[in-house]
Every structure is written in structure tokens, then in C-alpha cells.
Amino acid sequence: MTNMPPYPTAPSPFPAAPPPDPTPHPYHRLDRTTGRHRWWRPLVGTVLMSLAYVVLLLVMLAVTYGLGTVLGAPELPDGGVDLGPLGNTAMDLVSLAIALPLVLLATLWPARRAAGTVTSVAGRLRTGWLGWCLLAGLPPILLLTVIAFFLPGDSGGSDTWVGWSSFLAALAVLAVLVPLQAAAEEYVFRGWLLQAVGAFVRSPWLAVLPQAVLFAAAHGWGTRWGFLGLLVNGLVAGLLTIRTGGLEAAIALHVLNNLLAFGASAAVVDGLSSDETAADAPWPLALTAVVTDLLYAALVLWLARRRKPQRLSSPAPPPTPYPGHPGHPAHPAHSDHPAHPAHSDHPAHPAHSDHPGDPGPARTA
């Protein structure tokens, strides 16, 4: 009988993957969970994602220009085609929504993580928690709507009702595209950028500050109050993302805010033609938006204490040993048949030895 060595005589020819970190991590530190983090991965991912976005944007503009030319659409002063207020708004929303799949691809590579880890610590979109966050956002949004209605408006804006047919058509388009646009912005700022910075710093405050500044700057410079309102919105959304373990709370707030803004613009003639953003908000409206953001944060945190969404990543299981390792399930040590049977054909006890040189049992006369 040939005895197999208890350990492999040579290591596996395949390089072993780095062991994952078994410690649970908050959302902004998820890049540290796989064991594959390198300092260059977030930087390379950001550059590649930016270049891919520019390429996709140019392709989309070319397709839009060709479509507008075929339809005989008039040309805008900047050289583009005028598809009308609703058409132009739809193209603007799509131009932002195309960033969402790029974030998921960058998470797969070069970050080398599961794409769902940019969504939440659970590795997926938690639709139940998203629904609760949408419900929590309704009271603050209603408050913002009522206060904004009584605030003095821009004298240069139109107050003419657009009509039910045009309004409902616009709402149908906005209901499809606004959630995609809002989610894409959250995946870029509160998702990719928050985790890219969080890979280097532990403090949640240090992780949320850069993305909040970039988020406010991406809307352009209008008024200082508008910039402040966007900065607070980015900070609140970032901290809620870390506190609740995912993007659901930030997505819900962004979707409701944008549906309100675009819906109000679609209700009046040429409202969707305006190029104003939240960065252009006057101080009464900006301060009202800050109050509603803080109220929403308080409601979500109250819900989080009751619903207890997963805040930290699940501990990673230990890596599977390579074949031949004593810890591998297929190793003989884990076999149902022991390597040294109890009833061996050659017992080792000297009293039962048949070899001539061994002392045998005592003979009787």
C-alpha cells in the first residue's frame, strides 16, 4: 500500500488571488474589501471613464445632429439641432444618463470589484429600502413646493399654462428619463468618486467633501447661494450613503428634486427651454432647499434606526484552498475512508507478527 503525502510536494501552478479582507467595511471603504486594491486603480478608472464618456457624448451628438437634419429641424446658434423644448430636454437627460453604465464597467475593471458594490454594501439595489426613502422624501418635497410657490419668481419667466396634452406628454418623458439621469449622477458622485476617495481615507467627512464640491461645480457657477445649496445637498447625500450603506437614499432625494424642478418647468410655456439650474437659485429658494435636505436626512436616519438597512459589507469568506492542500475538500484527509484502516492486513502489534524473528506466543508442553 502506497501512502500519499499529507501535503502537496509542489505549489499550485496557478497564482493565488489575494485574500479578501474579512473585516466588514462601510460603503466608502468597499474598494478595500477585495484585497486587490492598488493606488492606481481609482485614478485609472476615473480617467478611462471620463474618456469613454466624452466619446459616447460625441457619438450621441453626431446621431442627434443626423436625426435633426433628416427631420428638417432648425439649427441652434451653437451648431446643434433644435428638437424643441421637450426634445432638447430629453437629449440633455440622456447625455447624463449614459454615465451610469460607465461607472458599472469601471467598477468591474480596473477596480476589479463586483459591479453591485458601487450600489450598496449588499451588492445590489435594495428596492425595499429605496421605496422607504421615496416615501420619506415626499413631505420635504411637498414643503419645498409650497414655499417655492409663494416665493417671488423671476419676472422674465413665463406663467402661461402649457395645456394638459403637452404637460402630460412631457411628464411621461420625464418620468422615464429623470430617474435614469438622477441615478447616473449619484453613481458618479456618491458612488464612484466617494469610493475612490474612501479607498485612501477612513474618515467619512474627508470622503464626502471632494465629491460634494465637484457635484456643485458640475452645475456651473450661478449665485453663491445656489452653489452653497448644491454643496449642502452633496454633503447630505454623501453622508446618507455611508450611513445607510448604499445609494438608495441619495437616488430617492435626487429623483424627487428633479421631478419637481422639471415638472414645474414643463407646466408653463417655454419652461423647458430655460438653461437655469439649481446653481442659479436666489437665496430664499437656496435656503429653502437646504432646509428640505436636512429634513429629509432626519427622516431617513429615523427610518434607518427602525428598518435597520445593512450598513457594513458582509465578512468575506476564506479563500478555497488549491487542490492538493490539506484544507481542500477533495484532499484524502477529508475522505470517508481513513488512510490507515483499523483492520490492516499487517497489524503492527508484535504479539500477532508472523515474521520468524519476532517473539511469538508462549508454547505449552
Side-chain angles (χ1 to χ4, degrees):
M1 178 177 176
T2 304
N3 292 327
M4 297 296 294
Y7 298 97
T9 57
S12 172
F14 302 100
D21 188 350
T23 307
H25 285 279
Y27 175 86
H28 67 295
R29 299 283 290 173
L30 287 185
D31 197 48
R32 291 282 184 172
T33 59
T34 63
R36 299 188 181 96
H37 170 74
R38 301 294 182 272
W39 67 266
W40 53 268
R41 292 190 188 278
L43 302 178
V44 172
T46 302
V47 172
L48 292 178
M49 186 169 57
S50 301
L51 292 177
Y53 178 75
V54 171
V55 171
L56 283 180
L57 191 60
L58 293 177
V59 171
M60 194 194 77
L61 291 177
V63 172
T64 304
Y65 184 83
L67 179 63
T69 302
V70 171
L71 297 177
E75 188 172 328
L76 294 172
D78 60 0
V81 292
D82 188 1
L83 301 177
L86 182 58
N88 293 336
T89 300
M91 295 311 300
D92 289 340
L93 294 175
V94 172
S95 68
L96 296 172
I98 59 177
L100 198 157
L102 298 180
V103 174
L104 300 179
L105 290 175
T107 305
L108 288 172
W109 195 91
R112 296 191 67 187
R113 288 187 282 121
T117 57
V118 76
T119 302
S120 74
V121 294
R124 58 180 175 82
L125 183 67
R126 301 167 295 182
T127 53
W129 176 240
L130 176 62
W132 283 108
C133 292
L134 287 171
L135 289 176
L138 292 179
I141 291 299
L142 179 60
L143 176 64
L144 178 61
T145 304
V146 172
I147 295 179
F149 180 79
F150 290 101
L151 291 177
D154 185 3
S155 58
S158 173
D159 293 329
T160 305
W161 168 245
V162 74
W164 280 109
S165 59
S166 298
F167 180 64
L168 293 178
L171 281 187
V173 174
L174 295 174
V176 174
L177 296 182
V178 165
L180 296 177
Q181 169 264 331
E185 291 189 20
E186 293 305 318
Y187 271 83
V188 170
F189 291 99
R190 259 65 71 181
W192 176 264
L193 290 178
L194 182 61
Q195 291 184 339
V197 177
F200 299 98
V201 298
R202 294 181 179 273
S203 170
W205 287 100
L206 295 179
V208 301
L209 186 57
Q211 60 82 26
V213 174
L214 292 174
F215 175 71
H219 287 76
W221 180 263
T223 66
R224 67 182 63 182
W225 293 104
F227 185 88
L228 177 62
L230 287 167
L231 180 64
V232 172
N233 180 267
L235 291 173
V236 168
L239 291 173
L240 286 179
T241 297
I242 297 175
R243 175 61 180 80
T244 61
L247 294 175
E248 294 87 357
I251 291 175
L253 177 61
H254 204 149
V255 169
L256 292 175
N257 269 331
N258 283 14
L259 282 176
L260 172 62
F262 282 104
S265 298
V268 297
V269 175
D270 293 331
L272 292 175
S273 300
S274 174
D275 58 356
E276 291 187 354
T277 68
D280 302 302
W283 72 266
L285 184 58
L287 290 183
T288 303
V290 168
V291 171
T292 56
D293 287 344
L294 296 178
L295 176 60
Y296 173 76
L299 291 174
V300 169
L301 292 177
W302 176 78
L303 271 177
R305 288 192 294 269
R306 295 177 61 87
R307 309 299 303 182
K308 299 187 184 305
Q310 183 178 343
R311 293 182 53 192
L312 303 176
S313 61
S314 300
T320 303
Y322 60 84
H325 190 277
H328 194 275
H331 191 269
H334 297 271
S335 174
D336 293 335
H337 304 284
H340 302 284
H343 303 284
S344 174
D345 293 338
H346 302 282
H349 197 278
H352 299 278
S353 175
D354 294 333
H355 295 284
D358 294 337
R363 295 180 181 268
T364 58

